[in-house]
């Protein structure tokens, strides 16, 4: 072992502890659901992205089991080397129909879909214009590219500020291509990107749009088809990213767009080119998850019923949910220490929700991030609300 490395690691970790930024996952002792066994305790889970309960839906589990019998458990290789299994192609065809696009390419995660797609579609002659609250995986994808993208050079606009976006586009006329990239649903605030305005500006200034629908997939639009569907912008968003890991309940990410986009990414998307395909059971489970989403409206209705209920209950009790419009419901505590204390007290009360503090969000905007989903009962939501009220009474809310 190299002492220089080991000492550096120990020192860095110590610093994380000091700054209260050290993360240690709790142990989930059963399936992801509304009420779960975690670290030996039964808690209401308000931190899961399993929006529709598909991660343990009987039809989805059955499809995975049958697929193991038929295909085994591994794909064996990268798709262009080892051959692509027909079940992987079938999933992409189903996704393309679902999204009403010409073609879809699946990556092993949403994160890798961003890092595969973004650097592949721009060169050093291009510019990428980003919303300041874009997800970390978008930021990493952008950094891997040869394009201009830096905030210090004026290519990052304030959150949803369309005047600033227009100003960026005006300054970007000298580049060969202009790319605008945004989350569809912002993962910490739960608000929705103004996609109609973004698309209109892109069309005016000859730019193309990429939207990351990780938190919109299965949540917004027809049967959960995402923000382009929600705003009826079919055919006007060049690149849509969706995850298969959140509402779809399994794992993976995909890029939806034109046939040439798919062909290009098969040839130039590095995580596609150099990383093994999903196990076939993943593709089979995802096809079953899509079947449920397209044929059973109930999980999405329940998700939105619970979302509306939860936001209304919190508002009645005087909590500030920061204008969130989707299941992602931040509850403002303001002060960093108050939010971290609230997280601990809620855990003691049997509620699992995480404090999100600076630097993930702005100073003084510390919050508890909560997400109701289709598997929560009225009792779960009521119990969680009572716990929030008791915790607020104990520590106070500073904003
Ligand atoms: C979660 C998330 C991702 C990553 O998706 P995975 O499938 O979990 O890798 C990408 N973008 C956004 C906005 C996300 O919230």
């Amino acid at each position: 072992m190299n002492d220089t490395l080991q000492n550096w690691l120990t020192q860095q970790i110590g610093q994380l502890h000091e700054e209260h930024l050290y993360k240690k996952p709790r142990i989930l002792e059963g399936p992801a659901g509304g009420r779960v066994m975690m670290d030996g305790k039964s808690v209401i889970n308000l931190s899961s992205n399993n929006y529709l309960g598909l991660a343990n839906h009987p039809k989805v589990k059955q499809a995975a089991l049958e697929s193991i019998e038929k295909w085994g458990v591994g794909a064996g290789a990268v798709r262009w080397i080892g051959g692509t299994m027909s079940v992987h192609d079938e999933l992409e065809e189903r996704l393309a129909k679902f999204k009403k696009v010409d073609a879809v390419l699946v990556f092993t995660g949403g994160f890798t879909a961003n890092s595969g797609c973004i650097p592949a579609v721009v060169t050093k002659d291009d510019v990428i214009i980003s919303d300041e609250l874009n997800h970390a995986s978008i930021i990493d994808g952008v950094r891997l590219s040869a394009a201009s993208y830096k905030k210090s050079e004026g290519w990052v606009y304030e959150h949803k500020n369309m005047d600033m976006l227009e100003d960026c586009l005006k300054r970007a006329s000298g580049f060969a291509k202009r790319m605008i990239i945004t989350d569809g649903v912002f993962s910490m605030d739960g608000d929705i990107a103004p996609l109609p305005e973004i698309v209109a500006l892109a069309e005016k200034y000859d730019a193309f749009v990429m939207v990351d629908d990780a938190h919109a997939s299965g949540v917004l639009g027809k049967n959960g088809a995402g923000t382009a569907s929600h705003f009826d912008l079919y055919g006007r968003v060049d690149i849509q990213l969706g995850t298969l890991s959140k509402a779809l309940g399994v794992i993976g990410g995909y890029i939806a767009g034109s046939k040439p986009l798919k062909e290009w990414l098969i040839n130039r998307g590095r995580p596609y080119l150099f990383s093994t395909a999903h196990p076939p059971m993943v593709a089979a489970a995802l096809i079953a998850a899509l079947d449920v989403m397209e044929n059973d409206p109930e999980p999405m209705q329940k998700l939105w019923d619970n979302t509306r209920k939860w936001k209304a209950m919190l508002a009645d009790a005087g909590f500030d949910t920061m204008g969130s419009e989707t299941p992602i419901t931040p509850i403002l505590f303001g002060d960093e220490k108050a939010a971290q204390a609230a997280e601990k007290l809620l855990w003691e009360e049997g509620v699992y929700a995480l404090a999100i503090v600076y630097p993930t969000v702005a100073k003084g905007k510390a919050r508890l991030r909560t997400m109701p989903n289709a598997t929560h009962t009225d009792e779960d939501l009521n119990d969680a609300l009572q716990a929030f009220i008791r915790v607020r009474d104990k520590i106070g809310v500073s904003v």
Side-chain angles (χ1 to χ4, degrees):
M1 295 276 206
N2 173 257
D3 283 346
T4 312
L5 170 66
Q6 301 308 324
N7 292 338
W8 179 82
L9 289 170
T10 307
Q11 187 245 329
Q12 293 295 314
I13 291 165
Q15 198 169 328
L16 287 180
H17 279 293
E18 251 170 58
E19 292 167 4
H20 302 286
L21 295 174
Y22 181 82
K23 292 185 177 60
K24 182 165 176 275
R26 293 189 183 274
I27 310 290
L28 200 51
E29 287 143 356
R35 207 177 266 266
V36 295
M37 279 306 289
M38 212 180 219
D39 284 355
K41 187 175 160 133
S42 167
V43 295
I44 300 164
N45 184 5
L46 292 174
S47 294
S48 174
N49 297 321
N50 181 21
Y51 287 113
L52 301 172
L54 292 175
N56 38 28
H57 190 287
K59 287 186 179 157
V60 178
K61 291 200 290 192
Q62 188 58 31
L65 287 169
E66 284 168 15
S67 165
I68 292 174
E69 289 296 345
K70 180 169 178 202
W71 293 96
V73 294
V78 168
R79 287 167 72 183
W80 69 275
I81 295 176
T84 178
M85 288 172 162
S86 54
V87 67
H88 291 123
D89 279 353
E90 188 188 337
L91 172 63
E92 289 174 341
E93 278 161 25
R94 285 291 302 273
L95 284 167
K97 282 210 184 84
F98 176 63
K99 297 287 286 185
K100 293 193 202 299
V101 296
D102 288 339
V104 160
L105 185 69
V106 169
F107 290 78
T108 47
F111 201 109
T112 44
N114 267 324
S115 50
C117 178
I118 300 167
V121 297
V122 289
T123 73
K124 65 174 177 29
D125 301 324
D126 303 329
V127 63
I128 304 175
I129 303 171
S130 312
D131 187 291
E132 66 177 347
L133 293 191
N134 280 349
H135 188 257
S137 62
I138 298 180
I139 296 172
D140 280 20
V142 167
R143 283 180 182 158
L144 285 170
S145 80
S148 293
Y149 60 80
K150 288 195 174 141
K151 188 171 186 178
S152 61
E153 292 167 12
W155 302 122
V156 177
Y157 57 93
E158 279 171 13
H159 184 45
K160 297 197 295 192
N161 184 328
M162 293 296 100
D163 292 335
M164 271 183 91
L165 170 57
E166 181 156 22
D167 179 62
C168 291
L169 286 163
K170 281 182 182 154
R171 282 186 286 110
S173 61
F175 289 93
K177 299 203 296 301
R178 287 149 291 281
M179 175 177 190
I180 304 169
I181 188 159
T182 181
D183 278 28
V185 169
F186 288 88
S187 54
M188 292 300 150
D189 291 55
D191 55 341
I192 304 173
L195 205 56
E197 288 84 353
I198 293 173
V199 166
L201 284 170
E203 287 168 352
K204 183 170 171 193
Y205 291 95
D206 182 26
F208 65 96
V209 175
M210 174 165 172
V211 59
D212 177 341
D213 264 348
H215 282 286
S217 305
V219 175
L220 288 181
K222 184 167 187 293
N223 298 335
T227 42
S229 166
H230 174 73
F231 288 117
D232 198 6
L233 292 167
Y234 291 108
R236 293 172 65 191
V237 179
D238 284 276
I239 307 178
Q240 300 177 59
L241 178 148
T243 58
L244 305 167
S245 333
K246 289 175 176 152
L248 276 99
V250 193
I251 186 81
Y254 63 88
I255 299 292
S258 66
K259 287 208 168 84
L261 176 66
K262 175 172 178 169
E263 279 176 63
W264 184 244
L265 294 178
I266 287 174
N267 286 278
R268 283 290 181 276
R270 292 172 69 82
Y272 177 90
L273 284 168
F274 299 109
S275 184
T276 301
H278 278 152
M281 64 189 166
V282 166
L286 284 164
I287 291 167
L290 271 173
D291 281 338
V292 175
M293 282 168 64
E294 290 181 328
N295 297 305
D296 181 3
E298 202 183 300
M300 208 169 139
Q301 269 164 18
K302 188 85 192 346
L303 168 69
W304 279 98
D305 282 350
N306 279 347
T307 296
R308 280 186 277 268
K309 255 186 230 162
W310 180 236
K311 288 187 200 298
M313 286 157 70
L314 288 163
D316 283 350
F319 287 102
D320 179 354
T321 55
M322 305 182 76
S324 68
E325 305 166 85
T326 63
I328 299 172
T329 306
I331 300 175
L332 187 65
F333 276 74
D335 180 67
E336 283 69 30
K337 287 212 178 69
Q340 282 163 338
E343 178 188 310
K344 284 208 184 73
L345 289 169
L346 281 163
W347 173 258
E348 285 163 20
E349 296 264 359
V351 174
Y352 180 58
L354 288 183
I356 311 285
V357 302
Y358 178 83
T360 305
V361 294
K363 261 207 175 99
K365 294 272 181 207
R367 69 210 50 188
L368 272 285
R369 181 168 177 265
T370 66
M371 282 183 283
N373 64 46
T375 69
H376 287 116
T377 62
D378 283 354
E379 195 191 350
D380 292 336
L381 297 182
N382 281 324
D383 288 356
L385 179 73
Q386 296 312 317
F388 265 95
I389 291 172
R390 283 193 294 273
V391 166
R392 177 181 59 188
D393 290 348
K394 262 187 208 159
I395 57 173
V397 177
S398 59
V399 178

